[in-house]
Amino acid sequence: MTLTHILRRPALLGACSLALITSFVSTAQAAATVNKGDTTWMLVATCFVVLMTIPGLALFYGGLVRAKNVLSVLMQVLVIFSVMSILWVIYGYSLAFTSNASGALNPFIGGFSKFFLAGVSPASEIGTFSKETNIPELAFVIFQMTFACITPALIVGAYAERMKFSAVLLFMVLWFTFAYLPMAHMVWFWAGPDAYTLSADNLAVVSGLVGEDKARQLLDALSAATTDEAKAGILGEYGALVNATNGYLFNLGAIDFAGGTVVHINAGVAGLVCAYVLGKRVGFGRDPITPHNLTFVLTGAGLLLFGWYGFNGGSSLEANGLTALVILNTTIAAAAAALAWTAGEWFFRGHPSLLGAASGVVAGLVAITPACGWVGPGGAIIIGLVAGFVCLWAVVTLKTKLGYDDSLDVFGVHGVGGIVGALLTGIFVNPALGGMGVVDYLAADTSVGVVPYSFSAQMYAQIMAVVIAVVWTAIVSYVALMICKLVLGLRVKEQEEREGLDLVDHGERAYN
């Protein structure tokens, strides 16, 4: 069997679509095997992403705020991680990565068949992106749990230093449920590579998807077909039936390897809405509001880079050559963006700063996230360079022109960087530009093909994914904030904000 080094599922006629994160068929396919190396890598990658959040993100954000608010940021990241871990097990995994009994809802959100991880055991298996290759489902559950934990925590940087702790918690529960989970389902939920093999050897899986009678009818028709055109028509009919079980953006063909839309655009736009609704910090634009500890910032950025190897590399779901490419692309995109931000800052502002270089690293990591398994090294460097310059512009110029106070530039780095990455992924996936191309899994055996690249079709899918992510998370974020405002109130009092949230919310100081 040829290992699939590009993750993609077939569209209606076995032509074009995307994949990123998971495949749910498989325990029924006897030929599928679990590789201990893949499993080990997934567990290690999961640990990387935990470290990326606690203490990586916490230290990065903590260093950027003033000394009187550092503990509030650390506490918010820690508690959000803890709350999301529990919610993920209770209903998050089920809503993101199972099918919905309602055909109308299934493209947008899953169901409750795995509520409290019902039916998930150490013996459960789940497919990867290679046919007949599985990993333990629990490994996938905990890997995806770390994504669900860090994404809401990213938003902390937008409203830092002024939002009530109680309101933070309520907002995060609402946003996780109604923004993160639908986006994860729409982008990443699919039937898996083995589902697209229409063969008698795969009868159990095919029957599970379309019913035994329909499965036998299709297999009989395929066996009786005497021309390639007739076989393609039958495979196309079967592919359409399988596609009906997938998420909406997955079927549309948008490609997002590790979370450009689901994580970064989702969180970045939510941060922008929070910044507008909460308003500016007391003294913003008048008093100096500077990072209190740049050593923390660089330490946090380093831990984010390290954790991102698990974030992006683990999204391959296997330990193979693709994983190596992903880690290479992650590294060089971050380096290119750090250099671009530094150069831009040096040229336009007269000095290169450590804060700028660290911000550039994160911008490059954000932009390469959706592209890391789809593009070659050349594309990764270009994506990093573009992200470095564009995110610098967003933080320095766009933010000032629009007049919002995004405390730690969540939108400028994650929102804008995620959009840049999502769009450039659609360009540099092209094999003619060194990209990996798109795999077509639909076949009468375990073989896979490559879909011819279409710039217009791929960019349409990428743009639609960006637009849907922006609009959906903006609406959910605004409504969630209004609920929090009505129930709890959003901001601390002015005097409390001046005193600092460490003492007001938590009764302690970072430094004594």
Side-chain angles (χ1 to χ4, degrees), residues 97-345:
F97 291 112
T98 68
S99 58
N100 194 304
S102 167
L105 291 177
N106 186 65
F108 310 103
I109 193 68
F112 289 99
S113 61
K114 294 188 178 180
F115 184 71
F116 262 110
L117 299 185
V120 180
S121 72
S124 304
E125 297 177 12
I126 198 169
T128 62
F129 295 112
S130 297
K131 290 189 176 184
E132 300 182 330
T133 303
N134 289 350
I135 58 173
E137 186 173 6
L138 282 173
F140 182 76
V141 169
I142 58 175
F143 178 69
Q144 278 298 316
M145 180 182 74
T146 61
F147 280 61
C149 291
I150 195 172
T151 305
L154 292 174
I155 307 171
V156 168
Y159 56 71
E161 303 192 304
R162 61 196 187 277
M163 191 169 180
K164 288 182 176 180
F165 186 62
S166 57
V168 168
L169 297 181
L170 178 57
F171 172 77
M172 288 303 173
V173 172
L174 294 171
W175 188 86
F176 166 78
T177 304
F178 297 104
Y180 181 82
L181 295 179
M183 281 304 303
H185 184 84
M186 283 191 281
V187 174
W188 290 337
F189 181 70
W190 70 308
D194 291 317
Y196 289 93
T197 301
L198 181 59
S199 72
D201 292 337
N202 200 34
L203 178 61
V205 172
V206 176
S207 297
L209 289 163
V210 302
E212 185 174 354
D213 290 342
K214 183 63 176 179
R216 294 189 181 279
Q217 177 187 340
L218 288 167
L219 287 169
D220 289 343
L222 186 63
S223 178
T226 57
T227 65
D228 290 342
E229 183 178 5
K231 292 178 181 179
I234 296 164
L235 286 172
E237 179 186 355
Y238 174 65
L241 293 172
V242 178
N243 288 343
T245 68
N246 299 335
Y248 176 75
L249 289 173
F250 185 97
N251 270 347
L252 194 64
I255 52 177
D256 183 354
F257 193 89
T261 50
V262 178
V263 176
H264 298 294
I265 297 176
N266 212 3
V269 173
L272 179 63
V273 174
C274 287
Y276 272 121
V277 172
L278 268 80
K280 299 174 182 178
R281 287 167 289 178
V282 173
F284 180 79
R286 300 190 310 271
D287 303 331
I289 301 179
T290 57
H292 91 283
N293 193 324
L294 290 177
T295 304
F296 277 11
V297 173
L298 181 59
T299 302
L303 289 168
L304 284 169
L305 173 59
F306 181 80
W308 230 291
Y309 293 139
F311 193 89
N312 286 354
S315 295
S316 67
L317 303 185
E318 299 175 41
N320 55 21
L322 174 63
T323 310
L325 174 67
V326 167
I327 291 176
L328 172 62
N329 285 344
T330 300
T331 305
I332 59 180
L339 294 175
W341 193 302
T342 297
E345 198 172 44

Side-chain angles (χ1 to χ4, degrees), residues 346-476:
W346 202 346
F347 183 80
F348 291 107
R349 309 189 80 186
H351 59 269
S353 69
L354 174 64
L355 175 58
S359 299
V361 167
V362 177
L365 291 169
V366 168
I368 198 61
T369 293
C372 56
W374 298 102
V375 306
I381 292 173
I382 294 173
I383 289 172
L385 290 172
V386 173
F389 285 121
V390 173
C391 290
L392 171 61
W393 167 80
V395 167
V396 174
T397 304
L398 180 65
K399 180 179 177 179
T400 302
K401 287 187 175 182
L402 297 182
Y404 60 88
D405 179 16
D406 178 356
S407 304
L408 310 183
D409 295 309
V410 176
F411 176 71
V413 174
H414 293 275
V416 173
I419 292 170
V420 167
L423 296 180
L424 292 182
T425 300
I427 296 174
F428 289 104
V429 68
N430 184 356
L433 299 176
M436 300 298 103
V438 173
V439 165
D440 185 346
Y441 289 103
L442 187 60
D445 51 32
T446 58
S447 64
V448 295
V450 178
V451 177
Y453 176 77
S454 167
F455 175 80
S456 59
Q458 192 60 64
M459 290 308 296
Y460 172 78
Q462 299 303 106
I463 292 169
M464 286 298 297
V466 168
V467 170
I468 289 172
V470 169
V471 172
W472 182 248
T473 191
I475 293 172
V476 171

Side-chain angles (χ1 to χ4, degrees), residues 35-128:
N35 181 286
K36 290 184 178 180
D38 294 338
T39 303
T40 301
W41 166 238
M42 290 306 299
L43 298 177
V44 170
T46 298
C47 296
F48 279 19
V49 185
V50 172
L51 186 70
M52 176 184 181
T53 312
I54 308 170
L57 180 65
L59 285 175
F60 185 74
Y61 278 176
L64 289 171
V65 298
R66 290 168 288 183
K68 62 184 180 181
N69 293 310
V70 58
L71 294 184
S72 70
V73 170
L74 301 183
M75 181 68 168
Q76 287 175 29
V77 172
L78 174 60
V79 173
I80 288 170
F81 183 94
S82 303
V83 172
M84 296 308 127
S85 297
I86 303 302
L87 295 183
W88 183 252
V89 169
I90 295 174
Y91 65 86
Y93 177 72
S94 188
L95 287 178
F97 291 112
T98 68
S99 58
N100 194 304
S102 167
L105 291 177
N106 186 65
F108 310 103
I109 193 68
F112 289 99
S113 61
K114 294 188 178 180
F115 184 71
F116 262 110
L117 299 185
V120 180
S121 72
S124 304
E125 297 177 12
I126 198 169
T128 62

